[in-house]
Amino acid sequence: MDFGFSAEHDRLRRTVREFALNELAPLAQEIDASRQVPPHIVNRLRELGLFGAPFPQEVGGLGTGEIGYCIVMEELAQVCGGTTAMVGAHTGIGAMAVYLDGTEAQKEEYLAGLARGTILSAFALTEPGAGSDAANMKTTALPDGDEFVLNGGKIYITIGDLADIVIVFARTPMDESDGWGLTAFIVRSDNPGFSVVRTEDKLGNLGAHAAELSLDDCRVPRESVLGKYGRGFITAMKTLDVARVSLAACCLGQAEAAFKISVDHAVEHQTSGGPLAHSQSVQWLIADMSTEIEALRSLVYRVAWLVDQGERVTQLASISKLYGSEVATRSVNRAIKVVGTAALEHGSLLERLYRDVRVNEIVEGTSEIQRIVIAGSIFRESGVRISP
Ligand SMILES: Cc1cc2nc3c(=O)[nH]c(=O)nc-3n(C[C@H](O)[C@H](O)[C@H](O)COP(=O)(O)OP(=O)(O)OC[C@H]3O[C@@H](n4cnc5c(N)ncnc54)[C@H](O)[C@@H]3O)c2cc1C
């Protein structure tokens, strides 16, 4: 058993931390207020290779695996939610789907650009009435000669307005059963049938827009099918299994940021009885945060290590995401108790964290869906099948 990070992972953490603290943190409030990650920051993410951390060097990635990618998410999340969400949407779900399920031709065409961040990607599963219940999806892709014709729409698609390619999930006819299956497609954003309808005015992670997308007689070649025809649900779940681990790493970073703010405040803020740290109620808040953060860190990096060993981690990924999202929320709430009114001052890191953490319990499967996945895995081992 070895609980240490490799020298390469330590180096990566130093690089990302230096970038996050020196270049990103001073701009984080402006990114939030302007609702945009500036192009020079996107270029720095490219230069540092951060869009391609988990992918092998042969395809242009950093080759640091899921552990390296979790380090990137943990460090970025401590300073800027919008930038973290952008990297998460592109690397964690968009590019990851191509890496995990792309054909050799698709990987040849897209993977190097995706890993370098010169091609940005988004992952479009959600529709009105089809968030948790993907089977209720209305978007269709009908075969027409050598093409598929996609019609429908998607909502809340992170960086759907910036992406050069979007992984779109659609219902497709299944010959053998006369029914419908789900299929994933790579859709280029310059396709005349693809358009961005609008971006949502949302609560947090404001630098990364959530876009509504429209597919209107959007014709794509047959070669655009990602993964197996009719098996899009498997492509989605395979991708989300890995993505949920890195989302938990993002939660870890947010919880750590809240913790650091709390400790600094408790040490610096003087009351009539000395520093706030003398107060037992504050000590308990800090101790509870620390306990949960340590548990989350062990969980995240153990599961990331399993991903790098090629293990399927469905249950553990859901456990990480469920626990991580709750720890991030609890840590920020506790930090607000420690800091008091100043915590809610508009423009403070804690105020941004308060808004940014909320969505962790919703995206990539809500907490209720994670509980269903976890319980489903447990009962399946006893021969009992449960369905959502
Ligand atoms: C900021 C943001 C960014 C997003 N980015 C993306 C993206 O990039 N790509 C993408 O495809 N989607 C994205 N989403 C969509 C997100 O994944 C969905 O919002 C999420 O899956 C929940 O779906 P819903 O909002 O339709 O809620 P619903 O599925 O309608 O759920 C409503 C409530 O009912 C509960 N519920 C639903 N079904 C069950 C059940 N069977 N058992 C118990 N409880 C249940 C849920 O847990 C939830 O509490 C994003 C959303 C947000 C807010």
Side-chain angles (χ1 to χ4, degrees), residues 13-332:
R13 189 183 290 282
R14 278 197 300 276
T15 304
V16 188
R17 185 168 294 176
E18 216 168 273
F19 163 71
L21 293 180
N22 298 336
E23 300 180 55
L24 193 54
L27 291 177
Q29 174 52 24
E30 195 182 316
I31 289 172
D32 193 73
S34 66
R35 290 158 160 69
Q36 195 200 0
V37 180
H40 80 273
I41 289 291
V42 178
N43 275 336
R44 287 292 288 141
L45 294 166
R46 289 185 181 121
E47 281 167 15
L48 294 168
L50 304 188
F51 285 121
F55 308 122
Q57 290 178 349
E58 305 86 81
V59 301
L62 285 186
T64 61
E66 185 68 8
I67 292 180
Y69 179 44
C70 284
I71 290 172
V72 172
M73 292 295 276
E74 182 189 347
E75 294 297 325
L76 294 180
Q78 295 187 43
V79 302
C80 181
T83 305
T84 314
M86 171 189 263
V87 175
H90 166 73
T91 308
I93 43 181
M96 188 61 78
V98 177
Y99 175 64
L100 292 176
D101 246 3
T103 61
E104 283 314 311
Q106 288 165 346
K107 288 183 183 174
E108 182 70 31
E109 185 171 359
Y110 295 113
L111 211 44
L114 290 168
R116 295 196 181 104
T118 49
I119 299 174
L120 288 179
S121 60
F123 181 93
L125 187 64
T126 306
E127 298 181 6
S132 305
D133 186 8
N136 200 31
M137 186 175 288
K138 299 287 182 285
T139 296
T140 54
L142 299 178
D144 183 20
D146 285 343
E147 296 179 322
F148 282 94
V149 186
L150 279 74
N151 277 292
K154 299 285 172 181
I155 50 169
Y156 306 135
I157 307 307
T158 306
I159 70 163
D161 55 330
L162 286 185
D164 302 292
I165 63 166
V166 179
I167 311 306
V168 174
F169 293 83
R171 276 151 46 87
T172 41
M174 304 298 285
D175 293 340
E176 65 274 20
S177 61
D178 233 17
W180 293 82
L182 212 63
T183 302
F185 295 87
I186 300 178
V187 177
R188 300 172 69 112
S189 62
D190 61 3
N191 188 310
F194 173 93
S195 60
V196 177
V197 180
R198 65 190 187 109
T199 56
E200 303 289 338
D201 194 12
K202 58 194 176 68
L203 177 69
N205 299 330
L206 297 182
H209 299 165
E212 181 178 341
L213 308 176
S214 172
L215 300 144
D216 190 10
D217 284 336
C218 179
R219 291 184 166 269
V220 296
R222 276 188 177 268
E223 300 74 50
S224 304
V225 170
L226 179 69
K228 291 205 172 76
Y229 182 83
R231 298 294 183 95
F233 191 73
I234 291 174
T235 297
M237 291 308 122
K238 230 200 253 182
T239 307
L240 288 172
D241 273 1
V242 181
R244 285 169 181 163
V245 186
S246 49
L247 183 58
C250 158
C251 298
L252 173 63
Q254 291 167 325
E256 286 167 330
F259 174 74
K260 280 183 201 152
I261 293 169
S262 307
V263 173
D264 289 349
H265 185 80
V267 169
E268 283 158 17
H269 187 72
Q270 294 295 321
T271 65
S272 54
L276 193 59
H278 284 174
S279 153
Q280 192 184 57
S281 65
V282 169
Q283 292 163 14
W284 287 16
L285 288 166
I286 302 265
D288 286 347
M289 275 192 218
S290 177
T291 303
E292 292 191 343
I293 287 169
E294 285 302 328
L296 178 59
R297 187 180 297 123
S298 302
L299 180 60
V300 164
Y301 286 103
R302 174 172 164 246
V303 186
W305 179 82
L306 287 170
V307 172
D308 288 340
Q309 304 308 304
E311 302 269 341
R312 189 81 198 261
V313 293
T314 306
Q315 184 188 357
L316 282 169
S318 285
I319 289 174
S320 318
K321 200 267 186 184
L322 172 63
Y323 184 63
S325 58
E326 294 188 349
V327 167
T329 301
R330 276 198 295 271
S331 299
V332 170

